[in-house]
Amino acid sequence: MTFNLSKRIEQIPESVFTTMSRLAVENNAVNLGQGFPDFNGPDWLIEEVFNAMKQGKNQYAPSIGILTLRKNISQLYRSIYDINWSFENEIIVTTGATEALFSAIHSIINEGDEVIIFEPFYDSYIYDVLLANGVPKFVTLHKPDFSFRVDRFEKAITDKTKLIILNNPHNPTGKVYSFEELKIISDLAIKHNLIVISDEVYEFLTYDNVNHIPISTLPGMKNRTITISSAGKTFGFTGWKIGWACANKEFIKGIHSIRQWTTFAVNTPCQHAIAYGLTKINEYLPDFRKLYQAKRDFIIKELKDSLFAPTIPYGSYFIMVDIPQSKNDMELAIELVKDYKVATIPPSVFYSISDEGKSMLRLCFAKQDHTLKSGIKRLKEYKI
Ligand SMILES: Cc1ncc(COP(=O)(O)O)c(C=O)c1O
């Protein structure tokens, strides 16, 4: 017997990550495609989950998140960005940044509302908007520095535009938006009375002393910005799925309304561990950054002897590389995984209006040194 599923899901194809990971396994390939670390975060944080469990912190958490975690998030942002989010009603803990994005978009978007999305994009934005019956409108970040054209950005804004989704630092390009770029975005957001969702999950992963600036800290932006982050990225435990959103209390109420009927609450012992982790963030971050800076420098240096010319990422753990002109990203990604046993991500799937993605591949360098070495060795073996 067959059943008809909802029309809603017809617009959702299999994700490129599922496809490439399946091909990686089938071909026994080194996986430089999958966007998460292949190593553990800190042991002392794992101990904290264990301790929380032994102390009986195993039942449902408050729906907006445990108090100590909300307090520590508030304290964290006060100390590093000098911004005040009230732990009482301006912070909600979510099941990863993913749930924060889904709930925020669903609490804002009505049918037909337009949403500005920079491409290449993190793909969940598109499907969140489509599932909410919104209309994505794209602005391209152009190679080689992934800057956007202000005239095209302005032109993308119409009477129906309600929301801008920003991802900073940026997956997949590693771009970190400058103050000047953020000012252009914020000026237009204010001029047209738009809401901004700022996905800042890689806020602590920047390189070469480049500074991450949350757009919420620009004048006039705090009240119209929903800032989203993820402890999964900061502590290297993506599977714990602890994220959060900070925003004015009306937005947080909206996100909470949706979440009450999706997950209701987030995994309790991991919240306790992350609350503790945030108290140690000043000791933790320098080594964390050093580790990733070394991986980024290594991959850039090694790729110079290959046919894949790297563009320098200043944030996140991704790097875009140019591919030989005679190839397109899809066919090359498949050739690489099958014949050279190395999995990458073809980034054209992260574009809607531009072809630029066809000339690149995305690699993830959140990998153990031996994984990186053997993946890069295989890329260097590639000849046309
Ligand atoms: C830009 C971006 N936003 C959100 C997420 C999802 O974060 P989480 O694992 O906390 O749900 C990811 C994960 O790769 C990401 O790259």
Side-chain angles (χ1 to χ4, degrees), residues 96-98 101 122 125 167 171 199 201-202 230 233 241:
T98 307
L101 286 162
Y122 176 61
Y125 307 151
N167 173 209
N171 170 9
D199 174 351
V201 298
Y202 301 104
S230 171
K233 306 293 181 186
K241 295 296 291 183

Side-chain angles (χ1 to χ4, degrees), residues 12-48:
I12 304 178
E14 180 177 90
S15 112
V16 68
F17 303 105
T18 314
T19 315
M20 289 313 295
S21 292
R22 191 183 55 241
L23 285 173
V25 172
E26 280 169 16
N27 290 282
N28 198 18
V30 178
N31 200 337
L32 298 186
Q34 227 160 29
F36 54 84
D38 66 347
F39 52 94
N40 246 348
D43 269 350
W44 53 267
L45 211 46
I46 294 176
E47 288 295 323
E48 287 302 314

Side-chain angles (χ1 to χ4, degrees), residues 12-248:
I12 304 178
E14 180 177 90
S15 112
V16 68
F17 303 105
T18 314
T19 315
M20 289 313 295
S21 292
R22 191 183 55 241
L23 285 173
V25 172
E26 280 169 16
N27 290 282
N28 198 18
V30 178
N31 200 337
L32 298 186
Q34 227 160 29
F36 54 84
D38 66 347
F39 52 94
N40 246 348
D43 269 350
W44 53 267
L45 211 46
I46 294 176
E47 288 295 323
E48 287 302 314
V49 182
F50 190 44
N51 290 340
M53 285 178 163
K54 282 196 298 191
Q55 285 161 17
K57 293 168 178 163
N58 299 302
Q59 307 305 335
Y60 293 129
S63 185
I64 58 165
I66 63 165
L67 182 64
T68 46
L69 180 52
R70 285 182 287 120
K71 277 189 169 169
N72 294 354
I73 293 167
S74 173
Q75 167 59 29
L76 173 75
Y77 289 145
R78 193 171 313 115
S79 68
I80 50 174
Y81 305 129
D82 195 22
I83 190 164
N84 275 309
W85 296 114
S86 160
F87 65 84
E88 283 175 16
N89 50 23
E90 293 184 323
I91 296 173
I92 184 165
V93 180
T94 53
T95 308
T98 307
E99 190 203 357
L101 286 162
F102 178 90
S103 304
I105 290 167
H106 277 75
S107 62
I108 292 168
I109 294 304
N110 287 314
E111 186 165 0
D113 286 343
E114 293 180 1
V115 181
I116 306 274
I117 295 176
F118 292 93
E119 65 171 22
F121 41 74
Y122 176 61
D123 48 0
S124 81
Y125 307 151
I126 309 299
Y127 298 104
D128 287 347
V129 170
L130 291 175
L131 287 169
N133 296 322
V135 181
K137 293 279 167 175
F138 299 94
V139 176
T140 305
L141 299 171
H142 294 285
K143 281 166 68 175
D145 58 350
F146 300 107
S147 55
F148 59 90
R149 283 191 40 188
V150 180
D151 57 333
R152 296 212 176 136
F153 179 32
E154 267 196 282
K155 224 170 138 193
I157 299 172
T158 73
D159 288 351
K160 294 187 181 153
T161 309
K162 192 162 185 193
L163 173 68
I164 299 170
I165 303 180
L166 182 69
N167 173 209
N168 181 30
H170 185 249
N171 170 9
T173 66
K175 174 188 175 69
V176 180
Y177 285 74
S178 66
F179 179 83
E180 289 69 29
E181 288 174 310
L182 294 175
K183 183 80 174 78
I184 291 167
I185 297 168
S186 70
D187 284 349
L188 285 170
I190 292 166
K191 180 172 167 197
H192 296 277
N193 195 26
L194 307 178
I195 300 165
V196 175
I197 290 181
S198 186
D199 174 351
E200 301 181 10
V201 298
Y202 301 104
E203 61 184 321
F204 296 116
L205 269 179
T206 57
Y207 307 110
D208 301 346
N209 298 318
V210 166
N211 227 355
H212 164 67
I213 306 168
I215 197 167
S216 56
T217 60
L218 270 68
M221 289 307 292
K222 183 169 183 264
N223 202 39
R224 64 176 68 248
T225 304
I226 300 174
T227 307
I228 291 174
S229 193
S230 171
K233 306 293 181 186
T234 300
F235 290 105
F237 289 118
T238 57
W240 292 8
K241 295 296 291 183
I242 304 288
W244 52 78
C246 302
N248 82 44

Side-chain angles (χ1 to χ4, degrees), residues 313-325:
Y314 293 99
S316 83
Y317 41 53
F318 301 105
I319 182 165
M320 294 279 253
V321 297
D322 278 326
I323 62 176
Q325 274 180 4

